[in-house]
Amino acid sequence: MVTIKEIAKAAGVSAATVSRVLNYDPTLSISPAKRQAVIETAEALNYETPRNRNRVAAATPFSTSNIALTRLVLVHFLQSSEEMADPYYIGVRLGIENRCRDMKTEIVKVYHNDQLPDPVILQGASGVIVIGKHSPREIDWLQDNCRNLVFADFNPKRDDLDSVYSDLNETTRKLLDNLSSLGYGRIAFIGSYENIDGRSEPHGETRCRAYIEWHKEKGVFEPDRLVLGNICDTGQNLRLETGYMLAKQLLERGERPDVVVTANDNMAIGAYRAFQEAGLSIPQDISVASFNDIPVSQFLNPPLSTVRIRSESIGETAVDLLLERLAGRDYAKRVIIPTTMIWRQSCLSPAEVPSSAPSLAAAQ
């Protein structure tokens, strides 16, 4: 870092003069040419005043380059078999693992079961990343047993906890706005109950709740177009089989919808099968849109229109938040990862959307 003495030597003036020029001392008697020479010399040598250096330090106060994350515990809301069946959550975990690879971090995975994990596992870790939705009781327990805690793909809505997630409420509303602008009038939704800590709430899941509120605000909510599966009853977690079963139920309810929004791509794959078994063509007879953009989505027939949620970025950012905590950050931070709508052939062309309509960022 260049010093005032070095600038003074290069400009041919005293260090005191340089200091007074750079601090804009109005009482300094100096010619305009000499003042300009001091300023230009300082700029050429990339000098920063202590005030500017402090501003930069305040903007980036947590240097994580030398932080050692020796042992990380992942606490998952899914069972191991359920995670393996859902490419989205595999992506979250891969993002975490990829970010930790260069640090040679030991990663311990704790999957969901009927009992809370052994607290010794958590207490011996540098930090804990909690994947997915957990109940208030579980969150309290985690806080009691973890030094550094970050939630990935879930916002616990507590002012003292770090979290990184995508805003599914806003994303669902934008998707519905898009579909409405495309001319779809009868929009159905296939999803699941909210299930936390052994309790089910039929309309508690974020995408489902946003679907209901959006339709009620427009005065067009039709309960028959909403089909939900109770995870407690089915043992499924938004999986292909659930999507297939619920799509069949939807077709039995009378007037066929124009488009079906499924809570994730796995359910959309199951819905595809139900619609094709019923002799329906996608998108000519019924359209489908979904969430997550798992790799197989682009290879379906037809390719699936879906909201891309950057699962690996959520995992990577969770590690970054944890490193900041280890570096000394003492306040909570929430990071929202934006989503992108990927329009494919399972819906009408987005080129038909009026330019004035609200829209998710479109990609082909």
Side-chain angles (χ1 to χ4, degrees):
M1 185 178 296
V2 69
T3 66
I4 286 179
K5 287 183 179 180
E6 290 171 322
I7 297 170
K9 182 178 180 180
V13 298
S14 69
T17 297
V18 172
S19 178
R20 293 176 70 182
V21 168
L22 297 181
N23 284 284
Y24 303 98
D25 184 348
T27 67
L28 176 64
S29 178
I30 188 174
S31 69
K34 184 62 71 172
R35 183 187 297 273
Q36 185 64 28
V38 171
I39 293 173
E40 289 179 353
T41 301
E43 289 178 348
L45 295 175
N46 295 318
Y47 175 75
E48 287 186 319
T49 65
R51 178 180 296 179
N52 284 338
R53 289 197 297 270
N54 289 337
R55 285 174 178 170
V56 172
T60 56
F62 307 110
S63 175
T64 62
S65 59
N66 296 320
I67 298 299
L69 183 57
T70 56
R71 189 166 183 268
L72 171 66
V73 175
L74 303 185
V75 177
H76 213 302
F77 84 117
L78 294 178
Q79 297 177 8
S80 176
S81 60
E82 291 176 324
E83 186 215 36
M84 292 305 298
D86 194 330
Y88 173 80
Y89 283 105
I90 293 176
V92 175
R93 175 168 54 80
L94 288 176
I96 295 170
E97 292 175 347
N98 291 339
R99 186 71 178 83
C100 291
R101 185 169 293 115
D102 292 340
M103 294 182 284
K104 302 186 185 305
T105 304
E106 176 194 359
I107 299 178
V108 178
K109 301 166 192 147
V110 179
Y111 290 96
H112 177 78
N113 56 46
D114 294 333
Q115 296 180 344
L116 294 169
D118 186 342
V120 174
I121 297 175
L122 308 183
Q123 293 164 1
S126 303
V128 177
I129 295 179
V130 185
I131 301 175
K133 189 166 293 186
H134 285 71
S135 70
R137 179 182 69 91
E138 292 168 330
I139 294 171
D140 289 340
W141 184 88
L142 288 165
Q143 281 189 287
D144 289 340
N145 290 280
C146 302
R147 290 179 296 166
N148 299 291
L149 188 64
V150 176
F151 286 82
D153 197 53
F154 174 51
N155 175 19
K157 297 182 179 179
R158 296 195 183 185
D159 293 338
D160 57 342
L161 292 174
D162 288 353
S163 60
V164 51
Y165 58 97
S166 291
D167 188 339
L168 294 184
N169 177 69
E170 179 183 4
T171 296
T172 302
R173 286 176 168 274
K174 287 182 178 179
L175 173 58
L176 295 171
D177 285 338
N178 272 242
L179 293 172
S180 178
S181 298
L182 282 166
Y184 290 107
R186 298 187 298 274
I187 305 174
F189 181 84
I190 290 176
S192 71
Y193 288 20
E194 184 79 301
N195 180 48
I196 296 182
D197 211 14
R199 297 187 301 272
S200 291
E201 184 180 347
H203 301 148
E205 196 275 324
T206 301
R207 286 157 290 197
C208 173
R209 188 167 61 248
Y211 170 86
I212 294 172
E213 291 173 352
W214 187 90
H215 280 82
K216 285 186 174 180
E217 288 167 7
K218 298 181 182 303
V220 293
F221 178 61
E222 294 289 342
D224 282 348
R225 295 178 190 153
L226 176 65
V227 188
L228 304 176
N230 189 342
I231 296 175
C232 288
D233 292 340
T234 63
Q236 310 289 346
N237 185 51
L238 301 177
R239 295 176 64 177
L240 284 70
E241 297 89 342
T242 312
Y244 172 76
M245 175 187 69
L246 298 179
K248 289 176 68 70
Q249 291 180 19
L250 179 65
L251 294 178
E252 295 169 355
R253 292 190 174 185
E255 188 176 23
R256 189 170 69 231
D258 300 324
V259 60
V260 175
V261 177
T262 63
N264 73 3
D265 294 344
N266 282 344
M267 299 189 83
I269 295 170
Y272 264 48
R273 178 184 170 190
F275 297 151
Q276 290 164 353
E277 285 183 358
L280 301 176
S281 177
I282 304 171
Q284 289 79 8
D285 299 321
I286 191 167
S287 296
V288 181
S290 187
F291 294 84
N292 289 358
D293 192 34
I294 62 176
V296 74
S297 299
Q298 60 185 308
F299 300 110
L300 296 178
N301 185 22
L304 177 63
S305 292
T306 180
V307 176
R308 177 174 294 164
I309 304 176
R310 294 169 175 82
S311 59
E312 289 196 26
S313 296
I314 288 175
E316 292 167 357
T317 304
V319 177
D320 292 338
L321 290 174
L322 187 55
L323 291 172
E324 288 183 9
R325 280 290 192 179
L326 293 171
R329 176 168 53 81
D330 60 358
Y331 58 87
K333 183 184 288 188
R334 295 175 187 167
V335 179
I336 300 177
I337 304 296
T339 60
T340 304
M341 185 64 205
I342 307 298
W343 292 106
R344 299 192 180 104
Q345 286 71 47
S346 68
C347 288
L348 298 176
S349 170
E352 298 179 30
V353 179
S355 59
S356 60
S359 176
L360 288 163
Q364 294 290 349

